[in-house]
Amino acid sequence: MKITSHICQVGGSEESHVSDASVFLIVDGSEAVLVDAGTGRGHNEIIGNIDRVGVKLGDIKYLFLTHCHYDHTGGANALRIATDCKVIAHELDSAFIENGNSEVTAASWYGATMEPTPVDIKVQHSPADFRVGSIELKFYHTPGHSPGSAVLTAFSDGRLVLFGQDVHGPLNDVILSNRGDYLQSLEFMLSLEADIICEGHFGVYFGKENVRRYIESFL
């Protein structure tokens, strides 16, 4: 699914495996990055989709993990090995990814175990700035769904794209959710006034008004 001239979806429940959250690819010139990794059950499909876009695995610079949950991170280690990219996550979720905590990552909800995965860059400050080609990326800490939940933004084709994985939650004590933080994070996402939102499970929404309505529906 092509979203802008620089962004497409290469993984998800329809693109790779029914258990996968959305996986997005951002490309500019000879550099690319991935946003999230799915469960790993659709790894081959994700690799095939990247190839069909015309991106070489060695061109993938970073893998951003928006939070620690298994449907977003279970496939991270396999993608890290396949691409030799650097894995990035917020420091508050990094320990659960690196230690392979199957409860906090909710891997147990999928009848799976979380494979311990190295996190190369543990983001401590918000926002943190990155770049793919000429495109500036900002990584914002948006806790609530998990302690280290984050969103990513990028300008493409003159529009602000928000990678707001799991805007919808859910909130659960086992995965260390915090309702107050979650509501504040939703308000922050609204303040960004994005033109497009790429959500983890419920699709891509175009237009500021549609983005606003989608986020507000969870307030």
Side-chain angles (χ1 to χ4, degrees):
M1 176 182 177
K2 190 170 184 179
I3 298 163
T4 72
S5 63
H6 303 101
I7 300 168
C8 60
Q9 185 172 348
V10 294
S13 59
E14 295 182 2
E15 293 78 13
S16 51
H17 192 275
V18 67
S19 64
D20 287 346
S22 300
V23 180
F24 297 99
L25 180 71
I26 309 171
V27 185
D28 189 44
S30 61
E31 290 188 342
V33 301
L34 288 167
V35 182
D36 284 336
T39 60
R41 296 168 180 171
H43 174 78
N44 291 337
E45 287 77 10
I46 291 171
I47 294 296
N49 289 336
I50 293 170
D51 180 66
R52 277 186 281 277
V53 173
V55 172
K56 298 177 182 178
L57 294 182
D59 292 341
I60 297 177
K61 183 178 180 181
Y62 299 128
L63 167 57
F64 291 95
L65 300 178
T66 59
H67 57 294
C68 66
H69 297 157
Y70 180 73
D71 50 334
H72 299 257
T73 62
N77 202 40
L79 284 173
R80 180 184 68 86
I81 293 169
T83 65
D84 197 32
C85 68
K86 292 187 181 299
V87 176
I88 300 173
H90 192 273
E91 63 171 349
L92 293 180
D93 272 18
S94 292
F96 309 122
I97 298 167
E98 293 194 309
N99 297 336
N101 187 316
S102 293
E103 296 306 313
V104 177
T105 64
S108 60
W109 296 6
Y110 292 82
T113 56
M114 178 66 191
E115 181 180 4
T117 300
V119 176
D120 301 290
I121 300 175
K122 301 176 178 69
V123 175
Q124 298 178 335
H125 305 291
S126 182
D129 296 323
F130 299 91
R131 181 178 291 275
V132 52
S134 63
I135 298 176
E136 293 183 355
L137 307 173
K138 287 189 177 293
F139 186 96
Y140 295 96
H141 183 210
T142 52
H145 180 45
S146 74
S149 285
V151 298
L152 195 72
T153 62
F155 274 101
S156 176
D157 300 340
R159 293 177 289 180
L160 180 64
V161 182
L162 170 63
F163 298 90
Q165 309 286 64
D166 287 11
V167 167
H168 66 282
L171 305 181
N172 188 288
D173 290 342
V174 173
I175 56 176
L176 307 182
S177 303
N178 182 292
R179 181 173 295 276
D181 288 345
Y182 170 70
L183 295 175
Q184 287 185 7
S185 292
L186 291 179
E187 294 285 3
F188 170 73
M189 283 184 252
L190 284 170
S191 76
L192 294 173
E193 297 186 338
D195 300 290
I196 302 171
I197 187 169
C198 300
E199 218 273 342
H201 296 274
F202 294 110
V204 179
Y205 296 83
F206 295 85
K208 289 183 186 292
E209 183 64 17
N210 288 330
V211 173
R212 182 185 64 79
R213 286 177 179 172
Y214 179 76
I215 298 172
E216 281 185 341
S217 71
F218 298 100
L219 287 168

